[in-house]
Amino acid sequence: MKNLLEIYARKKRDIAAIERVLEESVYSDHSLLREASVHLLKAGGKRIRPVFVLLSGEFGTYRLDTMQNVAVPLELIHMATLVHDDVIDDADTRRGQLTVRAKWDNRIAMYTGDYIFAKALGVVTRIPNPAVHQIMSKAIVEMCIGEMEQIRFFFETEQTIRDYLLRIKRKTALLIAISCQLGAMASGAPDRVSNRLYAFGYNVGMAFQIRDDILDLTGTEKQIGKPPGSDIKQGNITLPVLLALRQPELKDKLLAELARIHELDGQTDVSRFLGYIRGSDAIRQADALSQAYIDKAIAALETLPDMQAKKDLVEVAHFIGNRSY
């Protein structure tokens, strides 16, 4: 954690500049749109994607104004997906704050998400490289497919681990992967460098989401900023659950609990379900896969030049692999 804070401190000025541009980008003369967008922005977040853009940009000719034009739209895209996610999930809190849908309503949340998406497209037009636009638009399409697949698989206990991995690739890993790739591309780094950074970001992103899914089952509300078990209440069956369902002594108990949760549309206590998962070996197995992705991410950096940004990327990867919030 100390090393992560040092990385953020080293990039403090540039992160602050990105924060200012984010706020300028979501500004609207329409008071409700402005209020809802700023509410989401002020809820904060780790700004992991902008940090990946900035660090990857150091492998080429680093210019803050260029990096901003990549980091800001990527973070806006991420923010827009969060607003839409909260509508789908009926979520009242995120990071301990009221969601846009909870503070206003679902309609306001959906239009706020659409508005932020549109603002992201406006910022990215400042980048003259059409390849950047193509990569970003393709990623948004894949993210939408990932969200649709998540809905399709709600309460589907016969889904495979491969189904799950493909879904989180689209939902989470892809945006982190292109944050690294586009940061390098925008700085004029060679293709071999941007390709390595894409591989790094993809593997870190997979670990990030697996860790998120573990924390939803094992964390406290104070740690994760929302009630534990939120995923299963909506029917989102994640890796630890799939692994636990493979354990003969647990399978019938878990299936009975899932049927009950489904029948009650998630409006029920899930502590017994969480107890079964926490008492199984599934958490350790999921954690091992997360760590394997972190190891692959760090290996992807091996051929890159030895410089501070490379060391910082390794530190961020370790943080993601071990995070508890």
Side-chain angles (χ1 to χ4, degrees):
M1 182 62 186
K2 181 186 174 187
N3 289 340
L4 187 73
L5 292 174
E6 287 171 0
I7 293 165
Y8 274 77
R10 187 165 79 81
K11 288 294 183 187
K12 183 179 179 181
R13 182 179 63 86
D14 293 359
I15 293 169
I18 286 168
E19 205 68 39
R20 285 193 298 273
V21 178
L22 279 168
E23 195 159 346
E24 290 165 9
S25 299
V26 300
Y27 182 84
S28 171
D29 291 333
H30 191 284
S31 60
L32 188 51
L33 264 180
R34 181 176 66 250
E35 196 178 342
S37 300
V38 170
H39 171 78
L40 180 65
L41 189 64
K42 294 300 183 186
K46 303 173 191 69
R47 301 292 187 247
I48 283 285
R49 290 152 199 86
V51 168
F52 279 138
V53 171
L54 296 176
L55 293 177
S56 299
E58 291 191 33
F59 289 90
T61 304
Y62 187 95
R63 285 176 46 122
L64 178 58
D65 55 348
T66 306
M67 294 300 102
Q68 283 176 179
N69 292 337
V70 176
V72 168
L74 287 169
E75 189 67 6
L76 290 174
I77 290 166
H78 172 61
M79 286 169 56
T81 63
L82 295 184
V83 184
H84 289 160
D85 275 357
D86 289 339
V87 171
I88 294 165
D89 301 348
D90 286 329
D92 290 331
T93 59
R94 182 180 284 278
R95 304 184 188 117
Q97 304 289 323
L98 281 177
T99 58
V100 174
R101 68 163 293 278
K103 188 165 183 179
W104 288 277
D105 61 31
N106 282 343
R107 294 168 300 174
I108 299 299
M110 292 306 291
Y111 284 121
T112 300
D114 293 346
Y115 169 75
I116 293 171
F117 261 131
K119 285 292 190 175
L121 297 175
V123 176
V124 81
T125 58
R126 299 171 192 165
I127 302 170
N129 185 350
V132 171
H133 304 182
Q134 289 161 1
I135 289 167
M136 209 173 282
S137 62
K138 186 178 177 184
I140 295 171
V141 169
E142 288 294 313
M143 288 168 71
C144 291
I145 293 171
E147 294 291 351
M148 292 291 282
E149 286 293 275
Q150 179 166 294
I151 295 167
R152 185 167 77 89
F153 279 109
F154 277 172
F155 288 108
E156 177 51 72
T157 56
E158 295 299 313
Q159 65 181 284
T160 65
I161 288 174
R162 185 178 180 277
D163 292 326
Y164 165 83
L165 294 175
L166 180 57
R167 189 163 71 244
I168 69 167
K169 173 191 174 181
R170 287 167 162 155
K171 275 192 67 207
T172 303
L174 202 50
L175 196 61
I176 292 176
I178 69 167
S179 296
C180 298
Q181 179 188 25
L182 296 182
M185 284 176 64
S187 71
D191 287 349
R192 62 175 181 80
V193 171
S194 62
N195 291 341
R196 290 284 84 205
L197 288 166
Y198 175 93
F200 167 83
Y202 162 75
N203 285 292
V204 162
M206 295 295 282
F208 185 96
Q209 187 58 58
I210 293 170
R211 194 81 195 120
D212 222 44
D213 294 341
I214 292 170
L215 289 170
D216 182 75
L217 295 162
T218 63
T220 64
E221 186 164 357
K222 185 178 180 181
Q223 276 179 307
I224 60 179
K226 60 178 182 177
S230 296
D231 281 337
I232 208 61
K233 282 187 174 186
Q234 73 181 74
N236 184 19
I237 296 178
T238 56
L239 180 63
V241 180
L242 289 172
L243 291 168
L245 282 166
R246 290 179 161 193
Q247 299 178 15
E249 70 280 9
L250 273 183
K251 185 174 180 180
D252 289 344
K253 293 176 184 176
L254 290 173
L255 288 175
E257 277 297 295
L258 285 167
R260 182 182 67 82
I261 295 165
H262 193 187
E263 186 180 349
L264 296 170
D265 200 26
Q267 304 303 305
T268 185
D269 179 61
V270 294
S271 56
R272 184 163 54 188
F273 178 87
L274 293 177
Y276 289 147
I277 300 292
R278 290 170 180 174
S280 74
D281 194 43
I283 299 298
R284 185 197 61 77
Q285 291 177 43
D287 202 45
L289 183 57
S290 172
Q291 190 55 53
Y293 276 114
I294 293 296
D295 292 343
K296 285 178 73 176
I298 293 169
L301 300 177
E302 280 180 9
T303 60
L304 296 188
D306 285 324
M307 51 192 290
Q308 187 60 48
K310 179 176 173 178
K311 294 173 187 172
D312 289 348
L313 287 171
V314 170
E315 289 298 335
V316 177
H318 283 309
F319 164 76
I320 286 171
N322 297 310
R323 70 193 178 95
S324 57
Y325 61 91

